[in-house]
Amino acid sequence: MKRFMKRMVIFTLVSLVIGAITLFLIDRNVRKEGTKYIVDMDEAPEVDAILVLGAYVDPKGNLCNMLEDRMKYGLELYNKNKSGKMLLSGDHGKNSYDEVNAMKKFAEERGVKKENIFLDHAGFSTYESMYRARDIFKAKKILIVTQEYHLMRAVYIARKLGIEAYGVASDPRNYYGIEYYKKREIIARVKDFLMVNIVKPRPTYLGEAIPVSGDGRATHDKN
C-alpha cells in the first residue's frame, strides 16, 4: 500500500510539472507570435477595418475605462485614415445588455458616419470576434484595438484564422484589477491556442455575409 501511495504521489507531481511546463510554453508561444504584429499607431498599415473589441458597459450605457480607451484609440486610427470602416465587436446576446450600441453611440458622437460603423452583435469571445470578422464581415486585413495583455492573444487568433492582423495597444492609464486580468489571460491564451489549432469550433452564430466594404447600417438594430 505504501509503495502504491508513493507511486501515486510521484505520478501526481510529475503530471503537475508537465502540465505547468505545457501551460508556460503555450502562453509564451501565443505572446511571442502575437507581439510580432503589435505596432505603434503611426506605423499601423491601412486596412479593411479597425476592429475594436468590446468590454463591460454599465446599465446606463457608459463604457468602462478599458472600453473607453479602446474606442478612443480606434477613433484616432480612423481619423488617421488607417481605414474608413470601424468594426465594433461585443456582447449583445440579451436585450438588457448591449456593448455594441454603446460603442456605436460613442463613435457617432465623435463624428463617425453611420455607414462606416459595422456592429458585430455576437462577439461573445475573442475567438468568435475574429472568426466572424473573417466569415461574416469578410475582413482580410485588420487593425485590432484592445489592451496589450489581451491584444497578443487577439492578434494570434486572427492570424491563425488567416486574417492579416495587426494590433494597436490602448493602454494610456492603469486599470483597476489589471493584475488579475493578466493572470486570467494566461488560461485564456491556452484555451484559445487549443481552440484555434485543434478544436476549431464554429462561433455561436454565423449567418449571411455583410462585407465591411459595404454599408455598416445593414448591421444596425437601433438608430
Side-chain angles (χ1 to χ4, degrees), residues 5 31 49 51 59-60 81 109 114 125 136 155 186 193:
M5 290 300 295
R31 287 188 289 109
L51 172 55
K60 294 182 180 180
N81 298 315
E109 288 176 346
K114 291 180 183 290
S125 68
I136 298 297
V155 172
I186 296 171
F193 175 89

Side-chain angles (χ1 to χ4, degrees), residues 23-171:
L23 288 175
F24 171 77
L25 291 175
I26 290 175
D27 177 63
R28 187 177 69 172
N29 176 255
V30 173
R31 287 188 289 109
K32 180 180 177 181
E33 292 301 313
T35 300
K36 289 179 182 178
Y37 304 100
I38 295 177
V39 297
D40 292 333
M41 191 170 295
D42 290 331
E43 297 173 351
E46 294 183 9
V47 294
D48 299 332
I50 298 159
L51 172 55
V52 183
L53 295 174
Y56 177 71
V57 172
D58 74 16
K60 294 182 180 180
N62 298 310
L63 313 188
C64 69
N65 289 342
M66 282 188 172
L67 184 51
E68 181 180 332
D69 289 340
R70 294 176 192 183
M71 287 298 301
K72 286 179 177 178
Y73 275 59
L75 287 166
E76 190 168 349
L77 289 165
Y78 177 84
N79 290 327
K80 287 179 178 289
N81 298 315
K82 300 299 182 178
S83 178
K85 308 289 183 176
M86 295 190 74
L87 174 55
L88 311 179
S89 182
D91 186 348
H92 188 195
K94 299 178 182 179
N95 290 331
S96 59
Y97 186 71
D98 185 353
E99 292 176 1
V100 292
N101 276 294
M103 296 163 74
K104 170 176 168 284
K105 180 182 177 183
F106 190 93
E108 286 181 351
E109 288 176 346
R110 287 156 181 81
V112 183
K113 294 180 180 179
K114 291 180 183 290
E115 58 265 31
N116 294 334
I117 302 173
F118 287 75
L119 302 183
D120 177 10
H121 300 266
F124 302 131
S125 68
T126 309
Y127 174 81
E128 291 185 271
S129 292
M130 300 308 148
Y131 198 121
R132 287 173 53 81
R134 183 192 69 182
D135 285 25
I136 298 297
F137 299 100
K138 301 298 180 181
K140 296 180 179 179
K141 187 176 182 180
I142 60 174
L143 279 171
I144 304 168
V145 182
T146 183
Q147 280 69 37
E148 186 175 16
Y149 81 91
H150 180 208
L151 187 58
M152 293 178 279
R153 174 165 58 100
V155 172
Y156 176 85
I157 294 168
R159 288 257 163 186
K160 284 294 182 179
L161 290 174
I163 303 172
E164 185 182 348
Y166 301 87
V168 172
S170 55
D171 294 280

Side-chain angles (χ1 to χ4, degrees), residues 163-221:
I163 303 172
E164 185 182 348
Y166 301 87
V168 172
S170 55
D171 294 280
R173 53 179 153 173
N174 292 322
Y175 302 100
Y176 177 78
I178 189 65
E179 293 306 319
Y180 167 75
Y181 294 131
K182 288 180 178 179
K183 290 175 183 177
R184 190 179 67 175
E185 184 67 12
I186 296 171
I187 301 302
R189 290 186 194 117
V190 174
K191 173 183 69 70
D192 280 344
F193 175 89
L194 297 174
M195 293 271 277
V196 79
N197 290 295
I198 298 173
V199 183
K200 300 180 180 179
R202 288 164 60 88
T204 306
Y205 298 109
L206 280 175
E208 293 184 7
I210 310 173
V212 289
S213 57
D215 191 324
R217 287 172 291 189
T219 66
H220 299 180
D221 62 329

